[in-house]
Structure formats: C-alpha cells, structure tokens
Amino acid sequence: KQREDKNRELDVLRNKVRQLQQFSENIQSIKREFHELNLQLQAALEHMPRTFNLSSLLRKMTLIAENSGADIIAFNPKKAETKEQGHFYSTTQIDVSLRGTFTQTLVFFDQLSRIKRIVNVDSLKMSGLVSEAQRSGAVMVDTTASIRTYRFSE
C-alpha cells in the first residue's frame, strides 16, 4: 500500500514536470515570436513613424531637390492632423512649391516616391515659365503639390 502511494505520488510529480517542461518550451516559442514581431514593427515604423517629424521630412526633400536640380520654394505643413475612425494612422497635409525644369521636377517626384516613409501626392499643378532656358530646350516649371504623410497612432 505504501509503495502504491509512493508510485502515485511519483506519477503526479512526473506529470507536473512534463507540464512545466511544455510551459517552458512555449515561453521560448512565445519569446521568439515576440522578438520577430518587434522586428517587424521596427521595420514598419520606418515607413510610418510614431511622429510626423516634419523637419526630417523637409531635410530629405531638400536633399532630393538638390540631387534632382530643383529648388524647394515653400514647405507649408497644415496644422490640422486627421485620424479616421477605426484606422491605426493619422495624416497631415503639406503644401510644397518647387521650381526647376520639367525633367528635374519629374526626377524630384520619382526620388520622393522611393523614400522609406509613406508620402502621397494628393494634387499636383505645374505651370510653364518663359525664360532663357527654353532656348536651350529646357522647359522651366513652377510646381505646387499637396503632399500627405502618415504617422502611426495607437
């Protein structure tokens, strides 16, 4: 009888050990999954940061303009931030004025489309300028664009 009681106790303890081992394995699996999800979040935040950080966006756009040969004449962010019901992001509007040749302007918007951060051009208006550059075949344009950028909002 005493031996049977000890065997039952041993079986109970073995079951507890087995359960704890499974729990331990699950914790390791959950930690790995959490780490992978955290890496995915960090990558996503490059495309949609937690703040608008418009000074950083202006620096990037200024570098892009310099590389393309165009000039940013104005960079006017709107004060209002919009967040639609049920979405995980907020948006803000920025009005940008740009001057350069038609080709420089196209290169600017092409390079802008390649930055990691999500930026949409909502509207675009180009008007040609009569200048001496036209004699050489380059068409100068003034461009105004309404640009929308996004931020992650919890």
Side-chain angles (χ1 to χ4, degrees):
K1 173 126 175 125
Q2 188 178 12
R3 185 177 177 130
E4 287 177 20
D5 288 343
K6 293 292 181 184
N7 281 339
R8 271 190 234 117
E9 254 183 73
L10 185 58
D11 287 342
V12 167
L13 290 174
R14 284 183 182 152
N15 279 337
K16 283 186 180 180
V17 167
R18 204 173 308 118
Q19 288 174 347
L20 290 172
Q21 285 174 336
Q22 289 174 344
F23 183 74
S24 172
E25 290 171 8
N26 284 342
I27 285 179
Q28 294 306 318
S29 171
I30 290 170
K31 281 183 180 179
R32 280 191 301 274
E33 186 177 340
F34 178 76
H35 180 70
E36 288 177 25
L37 290 173
N38 199 17
L39 290 175
Q40 289 175 6
L41 175 63
Q42 294 308 315
L45 287 175
E46 287 183 15
H47 299 283
M48 190 181 302
R50 292 184 190 274
T51 63
F52 283 118
N53 196 1
L54 296 179
S55 61
S56 171
L57 181 60
L58 176 59
R59 278 193 304 276
K60 286 179 185 174
M61 289 176 68
T62 301
L63 285 173
I64 291 171
E66 287 174 3
N67 289 339
S68 67
D71 294 314
I72 293 179
I73 306 301
F75 182 89
N76 300 316
K78 303 284 184 182
K79 298 257 186 245
E81 171 182 333
T82 58
K83 180 175 179 4
E84 293 183 32
Q85 188 75 15
H87 286 100
F88 60 90
Y89 59 87
S90 298
T91 64
T92 194
Q93 198 78 21
I94 304 164
D95 292 332
V96 177
S97 296
L98 191 70
R99 179 170 290 150
T101 66
F102 182 76
T103 303
Q104 290 169 336
T105 303
L106 291 180
V107 169
F108 171 82
F109 284 109
D110 177 61
Q111 289 180 8
L112 182 63
S113 73
R114 296 172 194 270
I115 65 174
K116 286 185 178 182
R117 184 167 182 168
I118 299 173
V119 176
N120 287 342
V121 177
D122 288 342
S123 67
L124 182 71
K125 180 182 176 190
M126 298 175 111
S127 54
L129 300 173
V130 177
S131 68
E132 299 207 10
Q134 281 184 320
R135 291 187 202 145
S136 66
V139 177
M140 293 295 289
V141 293
D142 268 344
T143 304
T144 56
S146 181
I147 294 174
R148 182 176 307 278
T149 187
Y150 300 81
R151 79 170 181 86
F152 178 73
S153 60
E154 300 176 53

